[in-house]
Amino acid sequence: MLKHYIKTTETFKRLRTDQDGVVSFEYIIVAVCIIGAVSAVFGIGAGGAIGTALTGGITAITTAFTAAV
């Protein structure tokens, strides 16, 4: 029983001082922030502000091209 307690305690000590796990967790936080920012800008589907602007620009170009031909 004492062996298992010591092994568990040593494992927790290694995890507490392990810097690689912290860095990996920071990457996950950054990835979630980037995904949130991209979905806030583009919205779900093409209904976001940039999607609306691009759709309006393509429509204006298509209309101008059709009028010119």
Side-chain angles (χ1 to χ4, degrees):
M1 181 74 172
L2 184 61
K3 265 185 176 178
H4 294 295
Y5 175 76
I6 292 172
K7 279 177 111 175
T8 305
T9 304
E10 291 300 318
T11 303
F12 283 134
K13 284 181 184 176
R14 279 195 316 264
L15 284 174
R16 186 174 35 188
T17 59
D18 185 19
Q19 294 299 318
D20 293 336
V22 173
V23 172
S24 298
F25 188 67
E26 289 171 353
Y27 285 140
I28 292 171
I29 291 172
V30 170
V32 168
C33 290
I34 290 172
I35 290 170
V38 168
S39 65
V41 169
F42 288 106
I44 306 299
I50 291 180
T52 304
L54 288 174
T55 303
I58 291 172
T59 302
I61 291 170
T62 305
T63 304
F65 182 74
T66 304
V69 174

